[in-house]
Amino acid sequence: YSDLVVMCGVSGSGKSTWIKKNLPDHRLISMDLLRQEVTGKIGDQSENAQVLRMAVEELKDGLRKKEKIVWDATNYRRDYRQKVLDLGFNYQAYMTLVVFHIPEDEIIARNAQRERVVPEKAIWLQLQGLEWPFEDEAHRVIYIGKDGSILT
């Protein structure tokens, strides 16, 4: 079976950094990187429908090949992550949802230090729309604290 890891956290919460440190052997499907490939700019949301189609096709390919995969996107809303998780269930993957539980002030501070700063208004909108996952959304749900460690 495939090992599918789905990230969940608002922009600036540390998802991509955590992936680099903890999942270097997983096939990375990154909405940001695909956006850059399609539009030339990571932050350009104008072709999101095409980017999502490409990401889903790449995910299906990896699931068919029973690979280790990490889906790197915000997934802060249930409907965003449910589509990916449903595909994982359909392909009988073992799924882990990695949820970033970071204080709001820490997210804003981290964002200011990023190479590609996300508009603060966008982060606040994500925080307002954040839907914490249910424990049964995936086979395993783990929570990551501000220092990058698993919360117990």
Side-chain angles (χ1 to χ4, degrees):
Y1 57 86
S2 291
D3 176 22
L4 174 59
V5 179
V6 178
M7 308 308 284
C8 177
V10 300
S11 298
S13 58
K15 297 177 303 297
S16 297
T17 300
W18 192 89
I19 290 168
K20 286 177 189 170
K21 289 179 183 175
N22 295 280
L23 302 173
D25 61 339
H26 282 56
R27 178 178 183 170
L28 175 65
I29 301 175
S30 166
M31 299 301 284
D32 284 347
L33 295 178
L34 287 170
R35 220 176 275 115
Q36 172 131 20
E37 182 182 318
V38 171
T39 69
K41 296 180 183 175
I42 286 177
D44 185 342
Q45 308 272 325
S46 66
E47 299 295 332
N48 273 356
Q50 179 184 353
V51 168
L52 182 60
R53 279 192 302 276
M54 290 171 63
V56 167
E57 286 307 311
E58 190 173 338
L59 176 60
K60 287 178 181 178
D61 179 63
L63 291 169
R64 278 191 294 273
K65 293 176 179 174
K66 302 192 182 327
E67 295 177 340
K68 293 179 177 181
I69 306 162
V70 59
W71 181 274
D72 185 12
T74 57
N75 298 306
Y76 65 91
R77 284 183 22 195
R78 193 164 290 111
D79 59 329
Y80 291 172
R81 60 184 178 264
Q82 193 60 55
K83 293 173 186 175
V84 177
L85 294 168
D86 283 348
L87 266 175
F89 278 117
N90 289 341
Y91 281 85
Q92 300 176 332
Y94 178 76
M95 290 175 298
T96 302
L97 189 57
V98 179
V99 183
F100 287 75
H101 197 288
I102 313 295
E104 294 171 354
D105 60 339
E106 178 74 16
I107 292 170
I108 298 301
R110 286 181 185 184
N111 183 54
Q113 302 299 316
R114 294 174 75 181
E115 185 175 313
R116 184 186 57 83
V117 175
V118 174
E120 193 170 316
K121 181 179 179 180
I123 291 176
W124 285 111
L125 287 171
Q126 289 178 18
L127 287 166
Q128 289 172 350
L130 178 63
E131 295 176 331
W132 292 104
F134 296 117
E135 292 295 320
D136 64 354
E137 284 187 44
H139 296 108
R140 178 174 69 154
V141 179
I142 60 174
Y143 293 87
I144 305 300
K146 73 178 190 176
D147 65 354
S149 63
I150 295 174
L151 299 173
T152 55

